[in-house]
Amino acid sequence: MPSATSKNDYYETLGVARSAGGDEIRKAYRRLARKYHPDLNPGDKAAEGRFKKVQEAYDILSDDNKRKVYDQYGFYSDNIPPNGAPGGGASSGGPNFSGFDFNEFMRQQQAGGGRAGATADDAGEGGFGFRNIFDQFFRGGSRQAAAQPERGADLEYGLHVDFWQAIRGTQVKLTISRQEVCETCHGSGSSGNQVAVCPECDGTGTVTQMAGAMKFNLQCQRCGGTGRLKNACPTCRGEGRIARPDVVEVRIPQGVGSGTRLRVPGKGNVGVGGGPAGDLYITIRVDDHPFFKRDGDNIEVQLPLTVSEAGLGAKIEVPTIDGRAILKIPQGTQNGQKFRLRDKGVFNSRKNTRGDEIVEVVLRGPDVHDERTRELLRELAQAQPQDVRADIWSKVQPGV
């Protein structure tokens, strides 16, 4: 049983007039069913398809409630009550969707996780939604958009800052393009007796709106379908706003990290009809440093260490973002061992805390250029003859 429209004219399929009674519809169905029944036309795909269409048409037109819905809207849906919805259907000059395959639309919506009948909020960014589309259809498309205050759109801006600017914080000046109030008409959108092309529909009188997978061409509500705006300001074409460069000063807080999103209130596009301006959102991208590596609020560094410093222990100077610090290396330090310098990381102004610096030591063997160095290394080898790879063999498979 069909739950949405097909592209067939059911009356034409059965070969009856729209005023046909129930008996006439039944007779037409029986005649066509006998003619195209698959049992009487084995292997004939065309006849089989024709039989299905006849069956579908009879299913709708033989039921008084379904037929009433079909006569009103040009299609049948289980979601439409027999009394119909506000406004006229196909028979009363309203919208006729008989040329649209709602079955295909439903399949697309289910495949994509969407839902039929979505509102403007559900339709996604740039979507219009069934509620608004059908509202305009059933009201005959004559309703004009009310000139109500509308909040301006938010703006997004990506900003690269270097490592030290992010660590210490800074002030930056950005030049952005934003819509501001037109100085000619002071935001009213009108001036004298000028006639301008409607900026909403670009003079076509219609606008294209999406609702899920469906595309609708609707009458432009701003100009009433004329494509022209009378008394429109020639500078802004009736928009009341015009794009101009604007210099915005932004404070980058101390310790900001990549991906941080800063909000500057009121620096988005100016509103329409006296509505408030939108906001400016700035997404921070912090450049890398050749030595210091950042992990959240912590700073990570790798520091070379000689064999003698690792073996005997030492006090060494370590670079930090604040300058130099002293790190004590204990005797017997191994390659890759990590040490923590408390509160030597990045200050987090939001948490009012500071991270640490993590120092990873990397042992470097001596450069052997003279016999004396070789002799010392031989003496070291004799003094410590242990096999440093002995435990490896116990971890691998036997016989390797």
Side-chain angles (χ1 to χ4, degrees), residues 83-106:
N83 292 333
S91 62
S92 61
N96 188 331
F97 295 97
S98 60
F100 183 82
D101 190 348
F102 276 74
N103 285 314
E104 178 63 22
F105 168 70
M106 292 293 289

Side-chain angles (χ1 to χ4, degrees), residues 119-178:
T119 65
D121 294 334
D122 297 326
E125 185 176 353
F128 193 63
F130 283 109
R131 181 179 59 191
N132 293 337
I133 290 172
F134 283 111
D135 179 66
Q136 180 170 343
F137 270 135
F138 293 140
R139 292 177 184 268
S142 61
R143 180 171 59 89
Q144 298 295 313
Q148 297 179 351
E150 179 181 341
R151 182 180 182 273
D154 295 332
L155 297 179
E156 296 280 348
Y157 190 92
L159 177 64
H160 279 267
V161 298
D162 67 31
F163 179 84
W164 294 111
Q165 286 178 320
I167 294 295
R168 298 165 181 165
T170 186
Q171 291 276 131
V172 297
K173 289 184 178 181
L174 307 177
T175 300
I176 63 172
S177 177
R178 59 188 294 261

Side-chain angles (χ1 to χ4, degrees), residues 365-387:
D367 291 332
V368 181
H369 296 296
D370 56 87
E371 186 59 32
R372 175 57 180 162
T373 302
R374 294 188 184 91
E375 184 63 29
L376 291 174
L377 291 175
R378 294 190 190 100
E379 292 178 5
L380 177 62
Q382 292 175 357
Q384 295 187 348
Q386 75 271 19
D387 185 355

Side-chain angles (χ1 to χ4, degrees), residues 3 34 42 49 53 76 87 97 114 118 143 151 222 278 334 383:
S3 60
R34 285 193 297 267
K53 292 181 180 180
Y76 173 75
F97 295 97
R143 180 171 59 89
R151 182 180 182 273
R222 182 164 188 175
Q334 301 297 310

